[in-house]
């Protein structure tokens, strides 16, 4: 069977992961990285996808969601 995911403005992206946290952000420390910090979007709202442009703030406010970016940090 095939599944189709439909994302509708105003709906939450994250129905169940770590909902007690204000914003779900994860970090990965890497040794080889051209920039000290790179943030990858996990809310699907970024205008610069796959990079985070801060659009999750508006999405979280509008929906009560708590999504945040994945941060890659240079060691
Ligand atoms: Fe999507 Fe920041 S804009 S996580």
């Amino acid at each position: 069977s095939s599944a189709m995911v439909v994302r509708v403005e105003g709906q939450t992206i994250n129905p169940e992961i770590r909902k007690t946290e204000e914003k779900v952000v994860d970090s990965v420390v890497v040794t080889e990285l051209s920039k000290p910090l790179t943030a990858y979007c996990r809310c699907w709202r970024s205008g610069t996808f796959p990079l985070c442009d801060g659009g999750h703030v508006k999405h979280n406010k509008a929906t009560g969601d708590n999504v945040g970016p994945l941060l890659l940090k240079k060691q």
Side-chain angles (χ1 to χ4, degrees):
S1 68
S2 65
M4 190 172 88
V5 177
V6 178
R7 295 188 176 83
V8 178
E9 198 72 42
Q11 281 189 347
T12 57
I13 298 298
N14 172 26
E16 60 188 45
I17 297 168
R18 288 154 53 189
K19 295 304 278 188
T20 57
E21 297 177 27
E22 186 185 351
K23 181 161 59 184
V24 180
V25 179
D26 296 292
S27 298
V28 176
V29 176
V30 293
T31 54
E32 299 289 328
L33 201 64
S34 60
K35 289 191 288 180
L37 176 69
T38 304
Y40 284 92
C41 175
R42 297 191 296 185
C43 76
W44 300 93
R45 301 299 184 212
S46 175
T48 58
F49 198 88
L51 300 180
C52 168
D53 71 352
H56 59 268
V57 174
K58 184 180 166 206
H59 165 78
N60 285 343
K61 270 193 189 143
T63 64
D65 209 348
N66 68 337
V67 289
L70 170 69
L71 304 178
L72 293 194
K73 296 176 178 177
K74 190 171 188 175
Q75 194 174 42

